[in-house]
Amino acid sequence: MSLGGRGSGRRQFELSGVWDSAVFTVSQQQPTSNSTSILPNRLGLCAMTEELIGDEDGFYSKAKKYWKNIPPTVDGMLGGYGHISSIDINSSKRFLQRFVGEGSGKAGVGCALDCGAGIGRITKRLLLPLFKVVDMVDVTEGFLAKAKAHLGEEGNRVGNYYCCGLQDFIPQPQRYDVIWIQWVIGHLTDAHLTQFLKRCQKGLRPNGIICVKDNVSQEGVIEDEVDSSVCRDLASLRAIVRLAGLQVLVEEKQDNFPDEIYQVYSLALR
């Protein structure tokens, strides 16, 4: 996934971030030949599917093929940036704890869903300590196989391992208190992301929430042809959330990541 740079100039960052995976590599000031950017239209949504992706089946199959070659380790999931994992998890924990537990309007702690779960980095350190049961969904079978060893005995509280792309995944209705979606929405078209969020809403228990945590571009939508992904700006993401019939409860920018890593936002939706 190619991201626009910060500040007055533009730099390209190649984010190979599928299913809880991210590679952050600084390249040149100008977009590379493997990246394309397009600005939002007047409706606030980029015509990403039509103008950037073209071959939808190829968009998904290329990403799936790419991630079969990624090592099933925490460092692999984070593209060599394994040292940021604790910063990420601790920030996510503070963000999530605002919405779960005892109190009026808060989500329960019965069951959570980890979308783009990879080997279970987030399941192990964020979700299992807070929830009684966690389900995992990921497109890469090898990652889920490794997850069972990575999670250890705590993996006994994983209810289901789903090997499926999110464009096809249907959460069980009214099963989840929290649905966590991190570093994966760039591998869905606008239409599929909208429909997936609608299905997630149906999968929530009373007072349940959806949390999306991902990279955002400065402006417009940027395609990365290497790992077959896109990065949206906040305006485009908010528009998709509205189309899905959801509201943003809280929006928070991630702090304390290395400078070369692009801006990351967490959104709580209901």
Side-chain angles (χ1 to χ4, degrees), residues 25-85:
T25 305
V26 179
S27 69
Q28 303 298 321
Q29 291 288 335
Q30 298 301 322
T32 69
S33 60
N34 292 320
S35 64
T36 307
S37 62
I38 187 166
L39 298 181
N41 60 27
R42 60 188 177 86
L43 297 178
L45 274 174
C46 171
M48 183 259 295
T49 300
E50 294 82 1
E51 298 187 42
L52 283 183
I53 292 177
D55 178 8
E56 185 176 284
D57 290 338
F59 175 72
Y60 288 114
S61 64
K62 189 176 180 181
K64 186 175 181 179
K65 181 179 179 181
Y66 181 90
W67 284 97
K68 283 186 177 180
N69 295 318
I70 298 301
T73 63
V74 170
D75 212 44
M77 297 297 94
L78 296 175
Y81 277 80
H83 62 279
I84 74 168
S85 185

Side-chain angles (χ1 to χ4, degrees), residues 230-241:
V230 297
C231 182
R232 301 171 175 90
D233 61 10
L234 277 173
S236 298
L237 181 54
R238 291 173 187 137
I240 289 172
V241 168

Side-chain angles (χ1 to χ4, degrees), residues 113 115 137 162 164-172 176 196 199:
L113 174 65
C115 298
V137 56
Y162 296 110
C164 184
L166 298 186
Q167 69 274 17
D168 299 316
F169 182 69
I170 303 174
Q172 183 177 326
Y176 301 107
F196 177 63
R199 296 195 299 272

